[in-house]
Amino acid sequence: MVATVTGGTVIWFVLFLVQLPFYGWFADHGHTWWLWTCLAGGGLGLFGIWYVRRREAAIKRAADPASGTDSDSASNSPSSAA
């Protein structure tokens, strides 16, 4: 999943950089939103990379049997306090 989001982010930034030298043409024809859409896509892609990496790390932590989440909940149960 990280590779997919990273690939998409790179594509958005490349599209922005390729169109940047033609800013004057885009401005003359009222299409400057094309550049800003690519820049926004790249920026949101950076957020997406961060989000997907955190999500995958959380999934791995939850799947790890040695994480101790089950033993912590057992030690805090009311029956173990008696």
Side-chain angles (χ1 to χ4, degrees):
M1 199 60 144
V2 175
T4 303
V5 176
T6 302
T9 303
V10 168
I11 289 171
W12 280 116
F13 277 127
V14 167
L15 287 172
F16 173 74
L17 292 175
V18 167
Q19 293 177 16
L20 198 56
F22 303 103
Y23 183 83
W25 183 88
F26 285 115
D28 291 343
H29 292 88
H31 296 301
T32 55
W33 65 270
W34 289 6
L35 281 98
W36 306 128
T37 299
C38 294
L39 187 61
L44 290 172
L46 291 176
F47 173 75
I49 292 169
W50 171 80
Y51 179 82
V52 171
R53 291 183 73 206
R54 283 195 61 207
R55 180 178 178 271
E56 285 188 357
I59 290 170
K60 286 180 185 175
R61 277 193 312 270
D64 184 17
S67 66
T69 55
D70 292 333
S71 63
D72 290 342
S73 63
S75 65
N76 293 331
S77 65
S79 62
S80 65

mmCIF file of all heavy atoms in Angstrom, residues 52-72:
data_model
loop_
_atom_site.group_PDB
_atom_site.id
_atom_site.type_symbol
_atom_site.label_atom_id
_atom_site.label_comp_id
_atom_site.label_asym_id
_atom_site.label_seq_id
_atom_site.Cartn_x
_atom_site.Cartn_y
_atom_site.Cartn_z
ATOM 1 N N VAL A 52 -0.547 6.004 5.740
ATOM 2 C CA VAL A 52 -0.485 4.581 5.411
ATOM 3 C C VAL A 52 0.642 3.898 6.182
ATOM 4 O O VAL A 52 0.483 2.768 6.648
ATOM 5 C CB VAL A 52 -0.337 4.391 3.886
ATOM 6 C CG1 VAL A 52 -0.046 2.954 3.525
ATOM 7 C CG2 VAL A 52 -1.596 4.849 3.187
ATOM 8 N N ARG A 53 1.762 4.572 6.332
ATOM 9 C CA ARG A 53 2.869 3.982 7.098
ATOM 10 C C ARG A 53 2.483 3.797 8.558
ATOM 11 O O ARG A 53 2.778 2.760 9.168
ATOM 12 C CB ARG A 53 4.114 4.855 6.986
ATOM 13 C CG ARG A 53 4.708 4.816 5.575
ATOM 14 C CD ARG A 53 5.970 5.600 5.482
ATOM 15 N NE ARG A 53 7.018 4.842 6.178
ATOM 16 C CZ ARG A 53 8.079 5.405 6.718
ATOM 17 N NH1 ARG A 53 8.257 6.702 6.651
ATOM 18 N NH2 ARG A 53 8.980 4.670 7.333
ATOM 19 N N ARG A 54 1.818 4.764 9.145
ATOM 20 C CA ARG A 54 1.360 4.626 10.533
ATOM 21 C C ARG A 54 0.328 3.522 10.657
ATOM 22 O O ARG A 54 0.336 2.759 11.632
ATOM 23 C CB ARG A 54 0.754 5.934 11.032
ATOM 24 C CG ARG A 54 1.808 6.957 11.377
ATOM 25 C CD ARG A 54 1.268 8.089 12.197
ATOM 26 N NE ARG A 54 0.752 7.583 13.466
ATOM 27 C CZ ARG A 54 -0.209 8.182 14.162
ATOM 28 N NH1 ARG A 54 -0.755 9.281 13.723
ATOM 29 N NH2 ARG A 54 -0.613 7.695 15.306
ATOM 30 N N ARG A 55 -0.571 3.430 9.686
ATOM 31 C CA ARG A 55 -1.616 2.401 9.720
ATOM 32 C C ARG A 55 -1.004 1.005 9.644
ATOM 33 O O ARG A 55 -1.380 0.114 10.396
ATOM 34 C CB ARG A 55 -2.579 2.629 8.561
ATOM 35 C CG ARG A 55 -3.703 1.633 8.501
ATOM 36 C CD ARG A 55 -4.636 1.969 7.332
ATOM 37 N NE ARG A 55 -5.685 1.002 7.231
ATOM 38 C CZ ARG A 55 -5.617 -0.115 6.519
ATOM 39 N NH1 ARG A 55 -4.539 -0.379 5.823
ATOM 40 N NH2 ARG A 55 -6.621 -0.965 6.485
ATOM 41 N N GLU A 56 -0.062 0.805 8.733
ATOM 42 C CA GLU A 56 0.573 -0.501 8.604
ATOM 43 C C GLU A 56 1.363 -0.859 9.855
ATOM 44 O O GLU A 56 1.370 -2.013 10.286
ATOM 45 C CB GLU A 56 1.457 -0.554 7.366
ATOM 46 C CG GLU A 56 0.662 -0.666 6.086
ATOM 47 C CD GLU A 56 1.521 -0.906 4.861
ATOM 48 O OE1 GLU A 56 2.764 -0.931 4.976
ATOM 49 O OE2 GLU A 56 0.938 -1.077 3.788
ATOM 50 N N ALA A 57 2.011 0.124 10.467
ATOM 51 C CA ALA A 57 2.745 -0.135 11.707
ATOM 52 C C ALA A 57 1.784 -0.537 12.827
ATOM 53 O O ALA A 57 2.076 -1.448 13.608
ATOM 54 C CB ALA A 57 3.553 1.090 12.108
ATOM 55 N N ALA A 58 0.623 0.109 12.890
ATOM 56 C CA ALA A 58 -0.360 -0.233 13.917
ATOM 57 C C ALA A 58 -0.919 -1.635 13.687
ATOM 58 O O ALA A 58 -1.139 -2.380 14.647
ATOM 59 C CB ALA A 58 -1.493 0.799 13.913
ATOM 60 N N ILE A 59 -1.147 -1.993 12.451
ATOM 61 C CA ILE A 59 -1.645 -3.337 12.144
ATOM 62 C C ILE A 59 -0.611 -4.386 12.540
ATOM 63 O O ILE A 59 -0.948 -5.424 13.126
ATOM 64 C CB ILE A 59 -2.017 -3.447 10.649
ATOM 65 C CG1 ILE A 59 -3.266 -2.611 10.360
ATOM 66 C CG2 ILE A 59 -2.233 -4.898 10.241
ATOM 67 C CD1 ILE A 59 -3.581 -2.454 8.884
ATOM 68 N N LYS A 60 0.657 -4.117 12.260
ATOM 69 C CA LYS A 60 1.720 -5.058 12.644
ATOM 70 C C LYS A 60 1.826 -5.179 14.154
ATOM 71 O O LYS A 60 2.022 -6.268 14.683
ATOM 72 C CB LYS A 60 3.058 -4.624 12.046
ATOM 73 C CG LYS A 60 3.153 -4.889 10.569
ATOM 74 C CD LYS A 60 4.495 -4.442 10.017
ATOM 75 C CE LYS A 60 4.520 -4.615 8.512
ATOM 76 N NZ LYS A 60 5.745 -4.103 7.915
ATOM 77 N N ARG A 61 1.704 -4.057 14.870
ATOM 78 C CA ARG A 61 1.756 -4.112 16.336
ATOM 79 C C ARG A 61 0.596 -4.918 16.892
ATOM 80 O O ARG A 61 0.748 -5.683 17.837
ATOM 81 C CB ARG A 61 1.733 -2.709 16.922
ATOM 82 C CG ARG A 61 3.067 -2.032 16.950
ATOM 83 C CD ARG A 61 3.035 -0.780 17.826
ATOM 84 N NE ARG A 61 1.905 0.109 17.563
ATOM 85 C CZ ARG A 61 1.918 1.091 16.683
ATOM 86 N NH1 ARG A 61 2.993 1.327 15.955
ATOM 87 N NH2 ARG A 61 0.853 1.860 16.518
ATOM 88 N N ALA A 62 -0.595 -4.741 16.316
ATOM 89 C CA ALA A 62 -1.768 -5.454 16.795
ATOM 90 C C ALA A 62 -1.680 -6.951 16.499
ATOM 91 O O ALA A 62 -2.191 -7.771 17.247
ATOM 92 C CB ALA A 62 -3.030 -4.868 16.171
ATOM 93 N N ALA A 63 -1.019 -7.314 15.419
ATOM 94 C CA ALA A 63 -0.904 -8.719 15.040
ATOM 95 C C ALA A 63 0.225 -9.428 15.775
ATOM 96 O O ALA A 63 0.273 -10.655 15.792
ATOM 97 C CB ALA A 63 -0.683 -8.827 13.538
ATOM 98 N N ASP A 64 1.111 -8.680 16.398
ATOM 99 C CA ASP A 64 2.250 -9.274 17.091
ATOM 100 C C ASP A 64 1.785 -9.895 18.411
ATOM 101 O O ASP A 64 1.328 -9.184 19.303
ATOM 102 C CB ASP A 64 3.307 -8.187 17.355
ATOM 103 C CG ASP A 64 4.569 -8.729 17.987
ATOM 104 O OD1 ASP A 64 4.772 -9.963 17.936
ATOM 105 O OD2 ASP A 64 5.347 -7.917 18.512
ATOM 106 N N PRO A 65 1.907 -11.223 18.558
ATOM 107 C CA PRO A 65 1.438 -11.856 19.796
ATOM 108 C C PRO A 65 2.289 -11.492 21.005
ATOM 109 O O PRO A 65 1.841 -11.598 22.134
ATOM 110 C CB PRO A 65 1.536 -13.348 19.493
ATOM 111 C CG PRO A 65 2.514 -13.468 18.377
ATOM 112 C CD PRO A 65 2.436 -12.183 17.609
ATOM 113 N N ALA A 66 3.497 -11.036 20.802
ATOM 114 C CA ALA A 66 4.369 -10.674 21.914
ATOM 115 C C ALA A 66 4.191 -9.223 22.345
ATOM 116 O O ALA A 66 4.953 -8.715 23.163
ATOM 117 C CB ALA A 66 5.821 -10.910 21.511
ATOM 118 N N SER A 67 3.197 -8.549 21.789
ATOM 119 C CA SER A 67 3.016 -7.130 22.125
ATOM 120 C C SER A 67 2.536 -6.939 23.547
ATOM 121 O O SER A 67 2.703 -5.873 24.113
ATOM 122 C CB SER A 67 2.041 -6.470 21.148
ATOM 123 O OG SER A 67 0.746 -7.034 21.306
ATOM 124 N N GLY A 68 1.925 -7.951 24.141
ATOM 125 C CA GLY A 68 1.514 -7.869 25.537
ATOM 126 C C GLY A 68 0.178 -7.206 25.763
ATOM 127 O O GLY A 68 -0.171 -6.919 26.893
ATOM 128 N N THR A 69 -0.597 -6.967 24.730
ATOM 129 C CA THR A 69 -1.882 -6.298 24.932
ATOM 130 C C THR A 69 -2.850 -7.192 25.682
ATOM 131 O O THR A 69 -3.595 -6.717 26.527
ATOM 132 C CB THR A 69 -2.502 -5.873 23.599
ATOM 133 O OG1 THR A 69 -2.605 -7.012 22.758
ATOM 134 C CG2 THR A 69 -1.672 -4.802 22.942
ATOM 135 N N ASP A 70 -2.857 -8.489 25.445
ATOM 136 C CA ASP A 70 -3.767 -9.395 26.143
ATOM 137 C C ASP A 70 -3.340 -9.586 27.594
ATOM 138 O O ASP A 70 -4.170 -9.661 28.484
ATOM 139 C CB ASP A 70 -3.825 -10.751 25.437
ATOM 140 C CG ASP A 70 -4.496 -10.662 24.085
ATOM 141 O OD1 ASP A 70 -5.335 -9.774 23.900
ATOM 142 O OD2 ASP A 70 -4.168 -11.488 23.223
ATOM 143 N N SER A 71 -2.050 -9.677 27.880
ATOM 144 C CA SER A 71 -1.583 -9.862 29.246
ATOM 145 C C SER A 71 -1.843 -8.610 30.089
ATOM 146 O O SER A 71 -2.108 -8.711 31.279
ATOM 147 C CB SER A 71 -0.099 -10.214 29.266
ATOM 148 O OG SER A 71 0.666 -9.156 28.734
ATOM 149 N N ASP A 72 -1.791 -7.429 29.486
ATOM 150 C CA ASP A 72 -2.073 -6.197 30.219
ATOM 151 C C ASP A 72 -3.530 -6.137 30.642
ATOM 152 O O ASP A 72 -3.839 -5.748 31.756
ATOM 153 C CB ASP A 72 -1.738 -4.963 29.389
ATOM 154 C CG ASP A 72 -0.241 -4.784 29.193
ATOM 155 O OD1 ASP A 72 0.536 -5.397 29.951
ATOM 156 O OD2 ASP A 72 0.137 -4.037 28.263
#
